[in-house]
Amino acid sequence: MKPQTRNPNGGETDTPQIDATDMFDIFSAKRRQYALAYLTQKPAAIPIGDLAEYIALTEGEPSYDRYERILTDLYHNHLPRLTGLGVVRYDEAEELVELAVDRCVITPYLRLTDHADA
């Protein structure tokens, strides 16, 4: 099973296909689940700081120290994995993050997590 994205005109997009095993690996970390749930709600790129703040609030520890640790974890761990598999795009110069695949690719996997409402 390989999720694919399609454009509204019926043709496939140039988004790479993502193996289901890779998708389950992506969703094995809570912070990646939180990040993807948040990104599926956003129509455009968002600052990485906004994403870190959302995760800190979701984890129930919205302190500045916690925010900084989450920001570092996103930058060094989670974003490289997500960008490497083509799920998100991260513009390092602008510090903006956005989904690189259609929401419909991510949503079925979110339904299997605690983020079914995303």
Side-chain angles (χ1 to χ4, degrees):
M1 177 173 140
K2 292 188 176 186
Q4 298 179 9
T5 59
R6 296 191 179 274
N7 68 26
N9 299 328
E12 287 189 25
T13 65
D14 57 358
T15 305
Q17 292 185 7
I18 303 164
D19 184 87
T21 302
D22 290 333
M23 289 299 280
F24 284 113
D25 182 50
I26 288 168
F27 282 93
S28 67
K30 282 285 189 192
R31 285 190 178 159
R32 287 193 294 269
Q33 291 175 25
Y34 297 147
L36 291 170
Y38 190 63
L39 290 171
T40 59
Q41 299 171 23
K42 302 300 174 186
I46 62 165
I48 187 175
D50 289 1
L51 183 58
E53 183 178 349
Y54 169 79
I55 292 171
L57 290 168
T58 303
E59 290 179 347
E61 299 181 41
S63 69
Y64 183 75
D65 183 53
R66 184 70 166 181
Y67 163 83
E68 286 290 319
R69 283 186 274 147
I70 291 169
L71 192 59
T72 300
D73 194 28
L74 284 171
Y75 184 79
H76 290 289
N77 181 16
H78 302 299
L79 288 179
R81 183 174 296 206
L82 294 171
T83 57
L85 292 171
V87 177
V88 301
R89 279 186 288 274
Y90 176 57
D91 181 340
E92 200 167 334
E94 298 292 324
E95 297 185 342
L96 295 175
V97 183
E98 68 182 328
L99 277 181
V101 296
D102 291 340
R103 287 179 185 89
C104 65
V105 173
I106 302 298
T107 304
Y109 294 91
L110 283 173
R111 287 188 188 123
L112 297 174
T113 69
D114 296 334
H115 310 291
D117 58 343

